[in-house]
Amino acid sequence: MGRWEPNTRERLARAALELFGERGYEQTTVAEIARRAGLTERTYFRHYADKREVLFGGAEALREAFTRAVAEAPASAAPIDVMAAGLVAIAAVFPERGTARQRHSVVGSHPELLERELIKRATLAAAVTEALRARGVPDHAAALAAEAGMAVFKVGYERWIAPAEQRELPDLLRESLSELKAVTAGG
Amino acid sequence: MGRWEPNTRERLARAALELFGERGYEQTTVAEIARRAGLTERTYFRHYADKREVLFGGAEALREAFTRAVAEAPASAAPIDVMAAGLVAIAAVFPERGTARQRHSVVGSHPELLERELIKRATLAAAVTEALRARGVPDHAAALAAEAGMAVFKVGYERWIAPAEQRELPDLLRESLSELKAVTAGG
């Protein structure tokens, strides 16, 4: 304990998911998470503000990956193609499917976790809207493209973690985007 | 106090908005809201579970209006046209713009209120997805159409309550839907 270790955040996150799975989210304390990871409670709080936050450690990386892809897309790309590039970029920073499934199951069964998840998603949508505006996309088109991107992400992601699903996240995101195009063109 | 009065819920909601505007959300108690409405605290809790909930009294009506419009749309209507009908239906159950602006300002400045707002919106999206499935729309198309409808709603609604905006909500929702179609077709 206390010695330097790489990936402290990831170790804490993994320990937390294990314990939430074994004992339930409510029944697990921060001290237990730290102990399972071979770290101290103080170290935990250097990395995460509270017990909830350990489940949302990836949100920052997600936002960075998405907004960087938006900023770096070719100047000529239409907003929806910029979204497609952003979705592919975030697929690359996702944990493996088993971990994502565990996490989803914990978050989905606790309203306070679901609330934080929705806040993170809204924050991501706002950051993507901003990144689109910075490319010169008009305000409403930027907001709609970002929200459409979030919709595609949500549906593709939920499909990816569904039981028995075998296909990979980038494929499912691309497929969801095609389906959204088909749905919106259908009127 | 205590005598029968029509629109008890609406009176409490109006009193709450007034007080939140005058004193701030944190500084207002349920007892004060009830008093301002000329009612008792007990009556308040017969209508709303807590202080937050008084700001979300319209969520149920919104869901009913949206899902009813989805269920009643012509069998031949494409999912996106069904969404359009749902959006027009919810525009009809909205409060007047001044009230919506006051409410938005309170909700936007308190994370706990924003969290509840996002939960209500996710619940609405799930109900609309379900209503589309009940029409025979396949799962993913239903989820994407519902989420696209939410995106259109969010952008159109925020436009409606923006300072100096003069146009009416149904027009702005229709315009947002056209913009979403343009955005998703643009790739």
Side-chain angles (χ1 to χ4, degrees):
Chain A
M1 302 229 291
R3 69 188 192 282
W4 184 84
E5 288 275 3
N7 302 323
T8 306
R9 285 174 68 85
E10 288 72 12
R11 279 168 60 200
L12 287 165
R14 212 174 315 122
L17 267 188
E18 280 174 25
L19 287 164
F20 295 163
E22 290 164 23
R23 306 182 190 177
Y25 171 76
E26 313 287 3
Q27 286 71 44
T28 302
T29 66
V30 164
E32 289 166 338
I33 296 169
R35 200 176 315 127
R36 172 71 60 99
L39 296 161
T40 63
E41 206 173 336
R42 226 178 111 198
T43 301
Y44 180 97
F45 285 115
R46 267 208 299 276
H47 290 278
Y48 298 110
D50 57 27
K51 190 170 81 173
R52 283 205 267 180
E53 202 59 24
V54 72
L55 287 160
F56 301 95
E60 183 78 9
L62 215 67
R63 190 165 69 235
E64 274 176 29
F66 208 139
T67 54
R68 193 179 324 115
V70 169
E72 292 175 355
S76 61
I80 198 70
D81 292 327
V82 176
M83 280 303 94
L87 292 168
V88 169
I90 58 173
V93 300
F94 258 77
E96 55 94 24
R97 182 155 20 198
T99 308
R101 279 180 180 141
Q102 279 180 297
R103 186 185 166 284
H104 188 78
S105 144
V106 177
V107 171
S109 44
H110 294 85
E112 71 192 272
L113 296 175
L114 195 54
E115 285 182 346
R116 192 165 293 188
E117 175 96 330
L118 293 172
I119 285 277
K120 299 280 181 188
R121 218 181 278 164
T123 307
L124 178 59
V128 172
T129 302
E130 208 35 68
L132 284 168
R133 277 194 195 128
R135 292 175 56 89
V137 178
D139 284 6
H140 302 121
L144 285 163
E147 295 292 338
M150 293 302 112
V152 166
F153 172 63
K154 178 176 187 286
V155 172
Y157 178 78
E158 285 175 3
R159 207 157 165 182
W160 180 58
I161 59 174
E165 180 59 58
Q166 299 284 325
R167 278 175 304 161
E168 294 303 333
L169 184 54
D171 288 347
L172 293 166
L173 291 175
R174 263 189 292 271
E175 188 169 300
S176 281
L177 181 56
S178 299
E179 285 178 347
L180 177 69
K181 288 180 181 197
V183 160
T184 50
Chain B
M1 303 230 291
R3 69 191 190 282
W4 183 84
E5 289 274 2
N7 302 322
T8 306
R9 285 173 67 85
E10 288 72 12
R11 277 169 60 200
L12 287 165
R14 212 174 317 122
L17 267 188
E18 280 175 22
L19 286 164
F20 296 162
E22 290 164 21
R23 306 181 189 177
Y25 172 76
E26 314 288 4
Q27 286 71 43
T28 302
T29 66
V30 165
E32 288 166 339
I33 297 169
R35 201 176 317 128
R36 173 71 61 101
L39 297 161
T40 63
E41 206 173 337
R42 226 178 111 197
T43 302
Y44 180 97
F45 285 115
R46 267 208 301 275
H47 291 278
Y48 298 110
D50 56 28
K51 190 170 80 174
R52 284 205 266 181
E53 202 59 24
V54 72
L55 286 160
F56 300 96
E60 183 79 8
L62 215 67
R63 189 164 70 237
E64 274 177 28
F66 208 139
T67 54
R68 192 180 322 116
V70 169
E72 291 175 356
S76 61
I80 198 68
D81 292 328
V82 176
M83 280 304 94
L87 291 167
V88 169
I90 58 173
V93 299
F94 259 78
E96 56 94 22
R97 184 155 19 197
T99 307
R101 280 180 179 143
Q102 279 180 297
R103 186 186 166 284
H104 188 78
S105 143
V106 176
V107 170
S109 43
H110 293 84
E112 71 193 272
L113 296 175
L114 195 54
E115 285 182 347
R116 191 164 291 185
E117 174 95 332
L118 293 171
I119 286 277
K120 298 281 180 187
R121 219 180 277 163
T123 307
L124 178 59
V128 171
T129 302
E130 209 34 71
L132 284 168
R133 278 195 194 126
R135 292 175 57 89
V137 178
D139 283 6
H140 301 124
L144 284 163
E147 294 291 339
M150 292 303 113
V152 166
F153 172 63
K154 178 175 186 285
V155 172
Y157 178 77
E158 285 177 1
R159 208 158 163 181
W160 180 58
I161 59 173
E165 181 59 58
Q166 299 284 323
R167 279 176 304 161
E168 293 304 331
L169 185 54
D171 288 346
L172 293 166
L173 291 174
R174 262 189 293 268
E175 189 170 299
S176 282
L177 181 57
S178 300
E179 285 178 346
L180 177 71
K181 288 181 179 194
V183 160
T184 50

